[in-house]
Amino acid sequence: MAEDIAPQQTAVTITLNGREISAEKGEMIIAAAERAGTYIPRFCYHPRMEPVGNCRMCLVEVEGPRGSTLMPSCFIGAADGMVVVTDSEKVKKAQDGVLEFLLANHPLDCPVCDKGGECPLQDQTLAHGPGETRFVEEKRHFAKPIPISDLVLLDRERCIQCSRCTRFADEVAGEALIDFAGRGDQVEVATFPGEPFSSYFSGNTVQICPVGALTATPYRFAARPWDLEQVESTCTGCAVGCRVAVQSSAGRITRLLGVDADAVNHGWMCDKGRFAFESVNGPDDGGVALALSDPSKRITDPMVRKGGVLVPTGWGEALDAAAAIIRDATATSPMGLGAIGGSQMTNEGAFAWNTLLKGVVGTDSVDAQLGDGLEATHVLGLPRATIDEAADACTLILLTGDLREELPVLFLRLRAGAVAKRSSIVDLSPRSNALGDLAAVRLPTRPGDSLLVTRCITGDAAAKTQLASHPEGRTFTDDDLERARTLIGDDGAGVVIIVGRSSLAEDASLIEAAARRLNAAYPKAKFLPALRRANVMGALDMGLAPGILPGRTMLGTPSEGLGALWPTLPDAKGLGTLAQLAAMAAGSQKATLVLGADLADVPDAGLVTAALDSTARIIAVTGHGGTLLERADVVLPAAVAHERPGTTTNIEGRVSRLGQKLSAPGQAWPDWMIATELAAELGSSSGVSTVADVTNQIAAVAPSYAGMTAEVLNAANASDGLVAPLSGAVPRELNRTDPTAIPGLGAADRIGLASYTGSVRPDRDTSPPSRVATTATIGTSDLEGFAEPTIPSADNYSLRLVATRRLYDLGAAVTASPALRGLADSAVAKVNPYDLDRIGVTTGDSVRLRSARTAAVVAVEADAEVVRGTVLMEFNLSTDGEPRVTVADLIDASAVVTDLRMESL
């Protein structure tokens, strides 16, 4: 008979300064005390890293068998009955001594130190220090500052050897690019010889440094803490949605700091998200002398093309001109107008534009993705995982690109789970990457093979035969395949699949079909979309995709509230971005609204050129200059990040607030306001006057956002956002469990759309909605009917193109930010050494790559991690020399895969 096993104790009681408090068993005393309201001073301790007990500032008295002993509270776990004292004379003397030693060589340059005014060493010296020192010796002096990267400067004499920076680089980022060097009083933080601190996460070391040893180049000497004003917001650099504090001084953004949102970013940020704020400020001279094609120039006035030249004008004339273009384009059919972009907007902006396009004009040719994403039905229909669920999944399947390059902080969260052995990784990426290097199983996929590999995983013997027929054969063994099946299990319970585009030169239908296969074979598995643009999930939720309506509903099944609110609905599914560009080139789409999009991100440069060379009229809604403005007929200036309030939705469906820190320059307006005024110009009034009105309108008519009113999202318990749909879970202080009872839902009763005389559906009730609709949202049943694509055969002479993303590319966020601009590399073709040997070239040589589109001369680099039979190039980077080309010049987006011929020169 088996013995009874007592349940493991998880909570213990300790005595802290004479009072009993509760702590988790093994929890560090420093953390338990802080939760109980007692702050213990510290330097080396950080709650998101392993404790090391370096600095000894957190010494406390702990009673033991031999009496009270001084122990580091960051290194001692709580045990039941433990007695801890944090304020005894012995503790105070110890803290006094620690500070005296730290200050023995620390320069007293607080007036010129960036950390001055917010420095823990200053604060703790005031609270716990001796007030004077017994040391009279000369302090150390070093040359300062030392640039250890393009973004981070080191003042060595300020360092107190807490090791926060080196531990972050090693433990969290997995990039041990900095470490301590030297001995005794010459110990200093150093990089390896000839190797800069080239981490995507270097700004985090600046933020967590407790002194001014590490400073950020863009912030150095820019402001003092007491000059700064701050709002909490959400980073819009990518779709992870990191919570941040946005700080400004003298009307300019000065820095972004990561906020520790437990469900999302744990306080971390990538350097692109941290430093791209410079693009918001624009040039110091206001950009007066800059060309409109310069992405660093802020667009501050509406413009209309007159005599072939864009001329600044007022909003009245610009809206008149835009409305005239829309009327002309839709005179015979609403499909004469299309819209590309929208993922850089707020949810409110996306909803307002969709109201104009689908609810007033009646066109369904609307697409927030630029031909480089996934079908909206798949993104919204697959069972969604949260970031926390992915980080704690028993098995992660990577059916996507390099997350370190595309969604860096998601990479950190998933890496932490893998390093802690909580998650096993099955990697299906086309080349090795930082997360795949931790994989338990790697099943490398060439372009066109992702569907075949997932069929192999799910037991399709024919797929194994088909893969074996590839000229290079299979890239994995039967043992690898069996190991992957074991990790996934029978039904996928506890499995999270990260699904995204592993190559922009491979049709999305292959990844979508692979995801459907996995969903059918493992019904308990969940999916986390790896779409990269800031608010692409919010844009899709608001219906900025063909065949989709707000609230994750299909075109033919609008919610009751939406049907009552919009005077019209599209009669047929519209065109995506690539089809719209083709329609522009063919002349059937007569006008296009470009909503804050950079068409250089479309993975077919030839198609973009043909569309822009057509007679189609273009209305550009943007906050920055760019080459698109050379073709625009009307330019409407929009507020950008940190200049507009509202909400955004991240990859897990978490809706969080955006804080407005600055007023938009000149005459720039928020997106929702531009759409609302343009709708009024077309004869339709929405009745909204504030961004909160639009938020409440979304909550009233979008089923998956039911209950997410402005009041709910502004509540204290919603500071880190709320995952849609609410399913009855609302912030506790509201003391309500029924979403329909939350204040604000009735706001829809006060708004409605007047009739638009162009295309009103006579059977459509235009009276205001009175309640939240209960229409079923998109689910896995909506994924039926998608046919699996035919995979073209490979040959012995061609190389299949893999087009991947880089964090630092030629996009506006990088090129418009002086600190980041120099970090974008030149485009090179990375090829397996075996394939280079076949034509007799090596690293540094140039080759000619021929595709069905064009031919380009590109430098090559041997990379053994690239799968044989493929050539890898990074997207939105240009080659050196003339003519400059990008990988988009080679891609034919209408093909399932892009095959290249490589020739030596």
Side-chain angles (χ1 to χ4, degrees):
M1 182 174 172
E3 296 179 359
D4 292 336
I5 300 176
Q8 186 176 4
Q9 183 183 17
T10 59
V12 297
T13 299
I14 66 175
T15 302
L16 179 70
N17 295 339
R19 62 189 181 96
E20 290 189 348
I21 67 168
S22 178
E24 294 294 318
K25 185 177 182 181
E27 180 182 16
M28 296 300 116
I29 293 173
I30 193 171
E34 188 167 358
R35 282 195 300 103
T38 299
Y39 181 83
I40 299 174
R42 78 290 300 267
F43 291 115
C44 69
Y45 172 76
H46 191 283
R48 296 297 183 185
M49 292 188 286
E50 292 296 320
V52 291
N54 273 3
C55 70
R56 288 305 198 257
M57 189 64 202
C58 67
L59 289 172
V60 295
E61 278 194 274
V62 179
E63 287 190 7
R66 298 181 180 179
S68 295
T69 306
L70 287 174
M71 294 184 178
S73 60
C74 74
F75 212 68
I76 302 298
D80 200 40
M82 181 180 282
V83 178
V84 179
V85 179
T86 69
D87 56 2
S88 68
E89 287 303 317
K90 185 187 291 187
V91 170
K92 291 178 181 178
K93 186 173 182 180
Q95 293 168 344
D96 185 299
V98 169
L99 286 165
E100 187 175 14
F101 274 110
L102 287 179
L103 292 171
N105 260 314
H106 194 82
L108 301 181
D109 60 350
C110 303
V112 297
C113 177
D114 274 347
K115 203 74 173 183
E118 56 183 7
C119 175
L121 182 57
Q122 277 184 331
D123 296 339
Q124 291 172 188
T125 298
L126 180 65
H128 307 284
E132 60 183 20
T133 180
R134 291 169 289 178
F135 294 99
V136 296
E137 290 77 14
E138 178 74 7
K139 293 179 182 289
R140 294 175 300 179
H141 297 283
F142 294 102
K144 56 183 294 182
I146 299 295
I148 61 174
S149 76
D150 291 326
L151 299 171
V152 178
L153 303 172
L154 170 65
D155 290 87
R156 291 171 289 176
E157 70 277 14
R158 295 176 184 163
C159 179
I160 60 172
Q161 287 92 50
C162 70
S163 77
R164 277 189 173 190
C165 58
T166 59
R167 286 153 54 212
F168 171 85
D170 183 24
E171 296 176 18
V172 181
E175 303 164 331
L177 299 174
I178 53 175
D179 207 342
F180 287 123
R183 297 177 64 85
D185 67 343
Q186 298 299 309
V187 171
E188 61 184 66
V189 173
T191 60
F192 292 94
E195 297 291 334
F197 185 30
S198 55
S199 170
Y200 286 164
F201 308 101
S202 63
N204 294 293
T205 65
V206 174
Q207 181 172 334
I208 64 177
C209 178
V211 291
L214 295 174
T215 55
T217 304
Y219 181 72
R220 191 173 176 93
F221 303 140
R224 307 301 304 192
W226 50 85
D227 295 328
L228 299 176
E229 297 176 345
Q230 173 179 307
V231 297
E232 191 170 319
S233 187
T234 303
C235 177
T236 55
C238 76
V240 175
C242 300
R243 294 296 292 169
V244 297
V246 184
Q247 298 181 337
S248 70
S249 177
R252 294 175 66 83
I253 302 293
T254 54
R255 66 177 175 180
L256 268 65
L257 298 175
V259 171
D260 196 334
D262 189 69
V264 187
N265 60 313
H266 287 186
W268 311 131
M269 295 182 67
C270 72
D271 287 350
K272 184 177 179 180
R274 186 181 295 273
F275 298 118
F277 68 83
E278 293 178 306
S279 65
V280 177
N281 290 332
D284 291 336
D285 64 358
V288 175
L290 297 178
L292 288 176
S293 59
D294 189 333
S296 69
K297 177 176 175 58
R298 289 302 307 274
I299 304 301
T300 60
D301 297 296
M303 290 180 281
V304 175
R305 191 169 295 278
K306 297 179 181 179
V309 179
L310 282 175
V311 178
T313 185
W315 272 105
E317 183 178 355
L319 292 172
D320 282 343
I325 291 173
I326 292 173
R327 289 192 185 97
D328 289 344
T330 59
T332 57
S333 169
M335 298 289 282
L337 175 71
I340 296 174
S343 61
Q344 298 297 328
M345 299 178 181
T346 62
N347 288 336
E348 290 74 13
F351 181 80
W353 277 108
N354 208 27
T355 297
L356 168 66
L357 292 161
K358 294 189 179 183
V360 175
V361 175
T363 179
D364 192 55
S365 294
V366 179
D367 192 6
Q369 302 185 83
L370 303 185
D372 60 353
L374 299 171
E375 166 69 37
T377 308
H378 286 77
V379 176
L380 302 178
L382 290 168
R384 187 86 59 90
T386 65
I387 293 175
D388 273 346
E389 288 174 330
D392 292 329
C394 64
T395 300
L396 275 174
I397 301 178
L398 302 181
L399 187 62
T400 185
D402 189 345
L403 294 179
R404 182 175 173 271
E405 301 285 350
E406 299 189 25
L407 300 169
V409 174
L410 176 63
F411 158 76
L412 292 184
R413 292 293 314 275
L414 300 184
R415 181 186 182 278
V419 169
K421 307 299 184 184
R422 295 192 303 268
S423 302
S424 297
I425 296 177
V426 177
D427 183 21
L428 276 62
S429 303
R431 66 161 296 177
S432 67
N433 56 77
L435 196 57
D437 290 345
L438 299 171
V441 181
R442 283 210 70 230
L443 306 175
T445 58
R446 289 174 289 255
D449 287 356
S450 53
L451 175 57
L452 293 175
V453 172
T454 54
R455 285 169 55 188
C456 287
I457 292 174
T458 56
D460 188 340
K464 288 173 59 176
T465 303
Q466 194 171 346
L467 277 175
S469 67
H470 192 285
E472 300 297 339
R474 263 199 289 152
T475 56
F476 51 86
T477 67
D478 287 341
D479 288 342
D480 293 331
L481 204 56
E482 190 56 39
R483 173 65 173 155
R485 290 180 183 137
T486 301
L487 291 174
I488 298 170
D490 294 331
D491 56 8
V495 174
V496 173
I497 301 162
I498 313 296
V499 58
R501 294 287 290 273
S502 57
S503 170
L504 302 183
E506 178 185 43
D507 194 83
S509 60
L510 291 165
I511 295 293
E512 293 158 4
R516 291 197 302 273
R517 281 268 178 172
L518 292 172
N519 180 63
Y522 306 109
K524 292 186 178 180
K526 293 185 177 182
F527 293 77
L528 187 62
L531 303 182
R532 57 184 286 275
R533 287 191 184 85
N535 194 30
V536 63
M537 296 306 303
L540 296 183
D541 280 351
M542 296 303 107
L544 289 185
I548 306 296
L549 294 176
R552 307 177 190 174
T553 57
M554 299 292 284
L555 188 61
T557 57
S559 69
E560 182 179 336
L562 186 70
L565 179 65
W566 285 4
T568 188
L569 283 171
D571 293 320
K573 185 175 181 179
L575 306 177
T577 294
L578 299 176
Q580 285 189 56
L581 293 172
M584 290 170 66
S588 58
Q589 183 164 305
K590 303 182 184 306
T592 303
L593 275 158
V594 181
L595 305 176
D598 182 358
L599 295 186
D601 252 3
V602 175
D604 189 331
L607 182 59
V608 173
T609 300
L612 295 182
D613 287 345
S614 71
T615 59
R617 310 288 297 279
I618 293 177
I619 303 170
V621 182
T622 181
H624 286 90
T627 55
L628 177 70
L629 301 193
E630 297 172 359
R631 271 286 287 113
D633 296 279
V634 178
V635 178
L636 305 178
V640 299
H642 317 309
E643 296 174 349
R644 60 198 177 185
T647 60
T648 184
T649 304
N650 76 349
I651 52 175
E652 63 184 342
R654 182 175 299 275
V655 183
S656 56
R657 293 170 290 175
L658 296 169
Q660 181 181 358
K661 188 68 211 66
L662 302 179
S663 296
Q667 299 185 65
W669 288 355
D671 293 299
W672 70 269
M673 190 179 295
I674 300 173
T676 299
E677 291 300 319
L678 186 53
E681 195 70 27
L682 292 169
S684 179
S685 174
S686 66
V688 296
S689 58
T690 68
V691 69
D693 290 341
V694 187
T695 306
N696 292 336
Q697 195 175 73
I698 294 169
V701 304
S704 61
Y705 282 60
M708 287 197 172
T709 62
E711 180 183 358
V712 169
L713 292 170
N714 287 328
N717 278 6
S719 60
D720 291 340
L722 299 170
V723 176
L726 282 178
S727 302
V730 297
R732 288 188 296 274
E733 71 266 23
L734 293 180
N735 196 28
R736 295 182 178 89
T737 56
D738 178 10
T740 62
I742 300 173
L745 288 181
D749 295 330
R750 303 191 301 274
I751 57 179
L753 284 173
S755 296
Y756 168 53
T757 57
S759 57
V760 177
R761 291 266 295 276
D763 60 336
R764 183 71 53 190
D765 179 11
T766 59
S767 61
S770 59
R771 63 185 180 87
V772 176
T774 57
T775 304
T777 54
I778 297 172
T780 53
S781 61
D782 294 297
L783 304 182
E784 298 174 2
F786 285 90
E788 290 193 349
T790 301
I791 304 169
S793 300
D795 61 48
N796 288 312
Y797 305 101
S798 297
L799 300 176
R800 291 220 157 143
L801 177 61
V802 178
T804 62
R805 290 282 186 183
R806 281 292 295 273
L807 184 66
Y808 301 132
D809 58 13
L810 297 180
V814 174
T815 56
S817 301
L820 301 177
R821 190 179 299 143
L823 300 178
D825 293 330
S826 299
V828 297
K830 298 180 181 180
V831 186
N832 190 283
Y834 171 84
D835 293 314
L836 290 182
D837 290 344
R838 294 170 64 186
I839 63 170
V841 296
T842 187
T843 296
D845 294 340
S846 292
V847 299
R848 180 174 287 105
L849 297 177
R850 294 186 182 275
S851 73
R853 274 275 190 259
T854 188
V857 175
V858 182
V860 295
E861 178 182 311
D863 188 340
E865 298 297 337
V866 174
V867 177
R868 287 184 183 184
T870 67
V871 53
L872 184 144
M873 289 186 68
E874 281 137 351
F875 196 79
N876 208 6
L877 296 176
S878 67
T879 59
D880 290 329
E882 297 295 338
R884 291 181 178 272
V885 296
T886 70
V887 69
D889 294 305
L890 296 167
I891 297 174
D892 178 2
S894 64
V896 177
V897 294
T898 297
D899 286 327
L900 303 176
R901 294 293 175 94
M902 183 171 64
E903 305 167 355
S904 61
L905 297 179

